[in-house]
């Protein structure tokens, strides 16, 4: 399918159709709506600006606790920089084998593309990550200048880590040499030049997000108690929990 990238901000790879499907209705989240991740936000904005200006920039891995804004930050980056030529192509982990063909169709276009893979992780023995490696660092052909990879994951090294992997490490002439399994794990995540870590929110940060979603509620104590109970039921405090709390209770508190 031919996509009019002038008006289309993003596309999603559909394996069974063997094509990119244009996405015109994007989650409207904005950068100023994302609270308590200022360090990560500033780093990703700076990297994206460098990328758009044609300056050296990194592939980015956003890793850490679930529901802390990793995916939302990438969506907000697209909304903030669409008018400067940024476009996003989302590719699921299971479709990364098709990534070289996708990149072939994008590398000569007059736009800057972020390949977005959400919740990225691999099991031991999988080979699809090799296509990702070649796009980020090239093979016999240099990596495309107009494409970067932004991925989110709950795993820093994208692969499971086992105790026996660390036990395989050796000390040679006073230097620690990791085992082959550890080397394999690090070799993939190390392709991402910028790592942004996300941690669970403390109660103060969580309630700040709740307050931003309920700006007109008069009884803050009642609101906060309900939000804390909701987070306990969800099993943790996060931006996602705050949004789910809003989806459940909006309109049920007295507003001034």
């Amino acid at each position: 399918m031919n996509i009019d990238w002038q008006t289309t901000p993003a596309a999603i790879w559909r394996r069974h159709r063997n094509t990119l499907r244009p996405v015109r209705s994007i989650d409207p989240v904005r950068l100023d709506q994302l609270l308590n991740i200022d360090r990560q936000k500033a780093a990703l904005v700076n990297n994206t600006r460098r990328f758009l200006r044609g300056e050296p920039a990194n592939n980015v891995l956003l890793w850490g606790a679930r529901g802390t804004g990793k995916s939302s930050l990438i969506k907000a980056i697209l909304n903030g920089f669409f008018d400067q030529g940024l476009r996003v192509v989302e590719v699921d982990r299971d479709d990364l084998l098709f990534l070289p063909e996708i990149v072939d169709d994008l590398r000569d276009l007059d736009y800057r593309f972020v390949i977005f893979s959400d919740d990225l992780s691999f099991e031991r023995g999988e080979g699809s990550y090799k296509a990702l490696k070649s796009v980020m660092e090239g093979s016999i052909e240099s990596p495309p200048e107009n494409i970067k990879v932004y991925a989110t994951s709950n795993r820093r090294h994208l692969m499971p880590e086992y105790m026996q992997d660390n036990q395989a490490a050796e000390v040679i002439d006073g230097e620690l040499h990791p085992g082959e399994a550890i080397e394999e794990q690090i070799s993939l995540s190390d392709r991402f030049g910028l790592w942004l870590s996300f941690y669970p929110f403390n109660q103060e940060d969580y309630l700040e997000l709740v307050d931003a979603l309920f700006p007109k509620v008069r009884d803050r104590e009642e609101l906060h108690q309900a939000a804390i109970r909701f987070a306990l039921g969800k099993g943790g405090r996060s931006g996602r929990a705050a949004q789910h709390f809003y989806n459940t209770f909006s309109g049920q508190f007295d507003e001034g």
Side-chain angles (χ1 to χ4, degrees):
M1 176 181 293
N2 292 325
I3 296 177
D4 180 5
W5 288 110
Q6 183 173 354
T7 59
T8 303
I12 299 176
W13 176 257
R14 292 305 191 208
R15 177 195 334 173
H16 298 297
R17 297 180 181 178
N18 197 37
T19 189
L20 287 171
R21 180 180 69 80
V23 178
R24 297 184 177 88
S25 179
I26 302 295
D27 184 334
V29 62
R30 303 189 311 273
L31 287 166
D32 60 6
Q33 294 176 310
L34 301 178
L35 305 179
N36 301 321
I37 53 170
D38 292 343
R39 174 184 58 83
Q40 299 92 327
K41 189 191 308 184
L44 192 61
V45 165
N46 178 65
N47 189 74
T48 304
R49 283 177 173 158
R50 292 178 60 86
F51 175 46
L52 291 172
R53 291 195 296 256
E55 299 173 1
N58 287 306
N59 299 298
V60 186
L61 176 63
L62 298 83
W63 73 275
R66 56 187 171 84
T68 49
K70 301 183 295 294
S71 301
S72 294
L73 181 52
I74 294 177
K75 296 171 187 174
I77 286 288
L78 172 59
N79 291 328
F81 291 98
F82 168 77
D83 60 354
Q84 298 181 37
L86 183 66
R87 302 294 184 266
V88 169
V89 172
E90 184 172 0
V91 182
D92 288 340
R93 185 204 70 168
D94 293 339
D95 294 334
L96 289 175
L97 290 172
F98 301 95
L99 198 53
E101 287 77 12
I102 296 171
V103 167
D104 284 345
D105 291 337
L106 302 178
R107 65 187 306 144
D108 294 326
L109 300 180
D110 294 329
Y111 295 92
R112 299 268 162 173
F113 292 92
V114 163
I115 301 295
F116 172 40
S117 193
D118 197 21
D119 197 19
L120 187 64
S121 65
F122 301 94
E123 297 304 320
R124 186 67 55 78
E126 283 191 64
S128 59
Y129 70 88
K130 294 179 181 178
L132 187 61
K133 279 185 178 182
S134 67
V135 168
M136 290 194 288
E137 289 205 343
S139 52
I140 192 171
E141 184 177 33
S142 298
E145 186 268 341
N146 68 327
I147 295 175
K148 293 297 176 186
V149 176
Y150 286 8
T152 71
S153 180
N154 295 330
R155 295 171 174 173
R156 180 179 59 174
H157 287 147
L158 302 176
M159 291 185 178
E161 301 180 50
Y162 302 104
M163 179 64 71
Q164 60 264 31
D165 296 339
N166 292 307
Q167 293 172 343
E170 297 179 305
V171 177
I172 302 175
D173 295 331
E175 294 185 355
L176 180 65
H177 293 261
E180 291 183 1
I182 293 293
E183 289 285 3
E184 181 185 17
Q185 294 164 4
I186 295 175
S187 71
L188 175 58
S189 59
D190 198 47
R191 262 68 176 183
F192 292 91
L194 179 60
W195 288 7
L196 300 178
S197 53
F198 292 71
Y199 299 98
F201 291 172
N202 59 36
Q203 185 161 295
E204 181 181 354
D205 291 339
Y206 169 66
L207 293 178
E208 184 180 348
L209 297 178
V210 171
D211 285 339
L213 292 169
F214 293 85
K216 298 180 180 180
V217 171
R218 291 183 295 182
D219 192 336
R220 290 284 139 184
E221 183 176 354
E222 178 189 16
L223 176 69
H224 289 175
Q225 288 178 352
I228 291 169
R229 288 194 300 269
F230 186 86
L232 288 173
K234 290 282 291 182
R237 298 178 292 262
S238 67
R240 182 176 299 148
Q243 183 64 53
H244 289 171
F245 174 71
Y246 174 80
N247 295 343
T248 304
F249 291 100
S250 61
Q252 298 187 34
F253 295 94
D254 290 335
E255 299 183 353

